[in-house]
Amino acid sequence: MTALGELQRLRASRGGPPRKRENKAAFLFLLPWFAGLLLITAGPIAVSLVLGFTDYNLIQPPEFNGLDNFNRMLSDERLHSALRVTFTYVLVSVPLQLACALGLALLLDRGLRGLSFYRSAFYLPSLLGSSVAIAVLWQQIFGAEGMVNQVLGLIGVQGRGWISDPSTALSTLIVLNVWTFGAPMVIFLAGLRQIPVMYYEAAAVDGANRWTQFRKITVPLLSPIIFFNLVLQVIHAFQSFTQAFVVSGGSGGPSDSTLFYTLYLYQRGFNNFDMGYASALAWLLLVIIAGFTAVNFWAAKRWVFYDD
Amino acid sequence: MTNLRAVLRHAFLLLLAVVMLYPVLWMVVSSLRPSNEIFRTPGLVLDGLQVQNYSLGWDALAAPFGHYMVNSAIVVLGAIIGNLVSCSMAAYAFARLEFTGKRIWFAIMLGTIMLPIHVIIVPQYIMFSQVGWVNTFLPLIIPKMLATDAFFVFLMVQFIRALPRELDEAARIDGAGHPRIFLRIILPLMVPALATTTIFTFIWTWNDFFSQLIYLTDPDMYTVPVALRSFVDATVDTSWGSMFAMSVVSLVPIFLAFLIGQRYLIRGIATTGIK
């Protein structure tokens, strides 16, 4: 049962018979969590909503400036670049990553010899992918004299500086995200295990070929997991930061081609100490992610199949 | 026919595994090459071992690299302890206790799993800078003491729910209160969930760059990712060997955690779908 399934179940169930309440004990056990909610998560969200309507540079007290920050967004060219870059990154890399994850999970399923070796080999990159070291490595292998060009040179193809060229810089980061398909793959593998073998046996008896079995059995029964991975990876991709930061030396360049939304937010907030505008940007990010998630949930009604 | 299929499948999978891991292997090999040879060959064959890359890299920054590893270790340790204590407490309440508004609080908790840190970082930074905690490890550790890594709460809730309630009931009949049931019965049984939490917290905190970059600006307080990044900025063409060497050093703890805790990692993401 995934967190999303849990949320959906929560919405569907309407409390059982009333049980004895233990408010005092519960409050004590939840005390750290409540404090965290107030100070670290929900509280700051509320505060940043207020700050979004101010001009604040950390030194002078915040000054209310109405809708200025939001008007500024409309004409902020760099913000528009950041949105374009981030949407491209999310919309291209997540489907590719999930397709690889599902494809490999299907290949690895059911008693394949060496399964745990392959699973480890494919999973390892998703543990390394967000580290600075791998971002450094990426910068080097896709550089003008990097490993990729040397390999291309062996087969007689003239490469280029993939990262210094604005038209390809983002692609290298997309490749990096696809490279981390191991985590959703492991989730798919766990999901595939839940599908009873007898469904396939029965279908085979009825003469269904593997493609039909895949479409009629695997896809519907796996659809909640596909949905879960989709929601999770979309949210995850929106938050990418380290790779673009390291590869571009913090600038988002060349010519803003790797300016992820989070990187732009970082620049405004922590290079320029433009905290009011950064708060407004943070809220826009929250709205965008919530919007994407809501669309995912809405679309899910059409293609996600629930057994019960 | 089936045999041929199996062979082809293995050939493809092996090839893919090699392609995927090749960049990492190349980095390890490059860290042992003289810097001027690194970009001349994509191969993995070494002529000799340029071990001084490691000693040069280790001392290339203001402090020896070990200093940054100790800083990272402090943050990681604090985060692990914080997550283990605060998340298990919250999970016990959500899994075993009845209280007013439980469904709503639980839904809020699940919602915060998906909350990106970037949305809350500005006011959080303002708060921590007002209390003078910038350039200390506290902004990186205190949130973990307050159960803000909600996926672990969820992971542990799932785990506790699967434990038989009869155990609690029996203890309660013997007169045990909730703290006692939690400490004596539930905690010892949920060691696998605690192990998963420990390993994920370790890897994520070790890799975490965004919040460490923001809160640690004094070179003396740098953790490994921030130090490594300043290494990149300072490197001018010549010392790639030692930079790769320190990159490899920075990944060693992740490799070790992966080797030791693989079982818990796989089970962890399979049950909660976290990365």
Side-chain angles (χ1 to χ4, degrees):
Chain A
M1 175 61 67
T2 61
L4 285 182
E6 189 75 20
L7 262 180
Q8 279 158 340
R9 215 183 59 185
L10 207 62
R11 225 173 37 177
S13 77
R14 282 264 150 230
R19 304 233 322 258
K20 198 178 128 249
R21 293 209 162 131
E22 297 155 300
N23 282 343
K24 215 190 211 167
F27 182 73
L28 285 176
F29 275 97
L30 285 173
L31 198 57
W33 182 77
F34 277 127
L37 190 67
L38 187 70
L39 293 171
I40 311 288
T41 48
I45 296 179
V47 172
S48 72
L49 180 61
V50 175
L51 286 176
F53 295 95
T54 66
D55 187 10
Y56 183 37
N57 61 7
L58 275 188
I59 299 161
Q60 277 109 17
E63 215 171 285
F64 186 71
N65 67 359
L67 289 173
D68 282 8
N69 289 331
F70 297 92
N71 283 328
R72 185 171 152 198
M73 283 177 180
L74 295 176
S75 56
D76 184 349
E77 296 288 342
R78 294 201 75 209
L79 172 62
H80 302 164
S81 302
L83 285 170
R84 211 163 32 237
V85 167
T86 308
F87 284 140
T88 311
Y89 177 75
V90 171
L91 294 176
V92 176
S93 76
V94 172
L96 283 177
Q97 186 203 34
L98 291 185
C100 289
L102 181 57
L104 264 296
L106 289 170
L107 270 181
L108 290 182
D109 193 31
R110 305 236 191 254
L112 181 78
R113 232 188 257 174
L115 167 73
S116 59
F117 165 76
Y118 292 125
R119 189 176 57 188
S120 302
F122 297 142
Y123 178 57
L124 183 61
S126 50
L127 293 181
L128 305 177
S130 66
S131 67
V132 169
I134 292 298
V136 169
L137 172 66
W138 231 250
Q139 190 184 26
Q140 296 317 313
I141 59 180
F142 283 102
E145 294 173 8
M147 196 187 80
V148 168
N149 280 350
Q150 285 167 12
V151 173
L152 287 176
L154 293 179
I155 54 170
V157 178
Q158 174 70 42
R160 50 171 137 183
W162 302 94
I163 284 182
S164 54
D165 183 338
S167 65
T168 51
L170 183 60
S171 317
T172 65
L173 298 182
I174 290 174
V175 171
L176 177 50
N177 197 35
V178 175
W179 187 62
T180 64
F181 69 76
M185 182 197 76
V186 171
I187 300 173
F188 279 137
L189 275 172
L192 287 170
R193 290 251 171 92
Q194 306 292 319
I195 303 178
V197 186
M198 59 179 192
Y199 288 4
Y200 294 101
E201 290 165 354
V205 169
D206 288 344
N209 62 25
R210 301 203 96 180
W211 173 241
T212 314
Q213 290 178 21
F214 173 72
R215 275 190 329 150
K216 302 284 182 185
I217 300 172
T218 311
V219 170
L221 290 180
L222 201 61
S223 61
I225 308 281
I226 300 175
F227 171 61
F228 173 72
N229 267 332
L230 179 68
V231 170
L232 211 72
Q233 294 305 329
V234 164
I235 294 175
H236 193 82
F238 267 113
Q239 298 180 47
S240 296
F241 173 82
T242 309
Q243 301 85 345
F245 185 93
V246 173
V247 159
S248 70
S251 71
S255 15
D256 287 349
S257 61
T258 59
L259 186 67
F260 283 166
Y261 195 97
T262 52
L263 182 48
Y264 185 55
L265 190 146
Y266 171 84
Q267 291 180 354
R268 297 262 51 109
F270 298 95
N271 290 343
N272 305 75
F273 291 101
D274 196 352
M275 291 297 186
Y277 191 50
S279 298
L281 288 175
W283 255 85
L284 181 62
L285 178 64
L286 185 64
V287 170
I288 291 173
I289 292 180
F292 263 76
T293 309
V295 167
N296 264 333
F297 267 88
W298 172 79
K301 282 186 200 148
R302 287 151 194 270
W303 66 272
V304 177
F305 171 81
Y306 286 102
D307 219 357
D308 38 41
Chain B
M1 188 62 198
T2 7
N3 253 339
L4 180 68
R5 237 201 189 138
V7 169
L8 281 178
R9 171 143 61 154
H10 278 288
F12 171 75
L13 289 170
L14 266 179
L15 184 71
L16 187 70
V18 170
V19 169
M20 282 189 65
L21 297 180
Y22 196 88
V24 181
L25 290 174
W26 182 79
M27 177 166 72
V28 175
V29 171
S30 296
S31 74
L32 292 164
R33 279 187 178 135
S35 288
N36 59 358
E37 279 176 26
I38 289 176
F39 294 111
R40 289 210 199 121
T41 166
L44 294 181
V45 182
L46 277 169
D47 297 336
L49 292 183
Q50 188 83 0
V51 187
Q52 60 267 48
N53 281 342
Y54 280 81
S55 50
L56 286 174
W58 190 266
D59 292 318
L61 296 171
F65 207 75
H67 178 81
Y68 309 116
M69 299 195 64
V70 169
N71 284 351
S72 270
I74 295 171
V75 175
V76 165
L77 194 68
I80 289 175
I81 293 171
N83 271 345
L84 288 180
V85 173
S86 67
C87 296
S88 63
M89 285 172 64
Y92 180 78
F94 281 125
R96 283 294 202 251
L97 300 176
E98 286 304 318
F99 52 93
T100 315
K102 178 173 172 179
R103 286 157 43 90
I104 295 167
W105 295 120
F106 192 58
I108 292 175
M109 191 276 292
L110 292 177
T112 58
I113 293 182
M114 296 163 213
L115 186 73
I117 186 185
H118 315 88
V119 172
I120 55 177
I121 191 73
V122 170
Q124 209 193 73
Y125 179 86
I126 295 169
M127 178 180 77
F128 284 134
S129 69
Q130 306 260 304
V131 290
W133 283 4
V134 172
N135 279 317
T136 72
F137 300 135
L138 293 172
L140 305 169
I141 295 175
I142 296 300
K144 314 287 176 191
M145 304 264 174
L146 302 179
T148 48
D149 274 350
F151 3 75
F152 298 127
V153 179
F154 177 62
L155 178 97
M156 293 180 194
V157 167
Q158 297 289 83
F159 199 90
I160 297 174
R161 277 180 183 164
L163 300 174
R165 264 186 192 268
E166 289 76 27
L167 294 171
D168 312 29
E169 307 292 345
R172 197 171 314 184
I173 290 164
D174 289 347
H178 285 296
R180 211 181 151 81
I181 296 174
F182 172 64
L183 287 172
R184 290 294 172 80
I185 295 172
I186 302 294
L187 265 190
L189 288 174
M190 63 189 280
V191 168
L194 300 178
T196 304
T197 302
T198 303
I199 287 166
F200 270 113
T201 308
F202 180 94
I203 292 175
W204 288 349
T205 313
W206 190 270
N207 275 342
D208 171 42
F209 179 59
F210 186 73
S211 52
Q212 296 178 7
L213 175 74
I214 282 172
Y215 285 116
L216 306 175
T217 52
D218 171 2
D220 208 41
M221 300 302 287
Y222 279 179
T223 50
V224 168
V226 191
L228 196 59
R229 185 255 158 170
S230 75
F231 200 152
V232 180
D233 282 2
T235 300
V236 268
D237 289 339
T238 45
S239 51
W240 293 116
S242 44
M243 205 189 65
F244 280 140
M246 288 309 103
S247 298
V248 171
V249 168
S250 80
L251 292 182
V252 166
I254 305 285
F255 273 113
L256 291 180
F258 174 67
L259 288 179
I260 296 167
Q262 227 194 102
R263 202 153 51 101
Y264 297 108
L265 285 169
I266 303 276
R267 197 188 300 163
I269 52 170
T271 50
T272 57
I274 51 185
K275 192 168 187 173

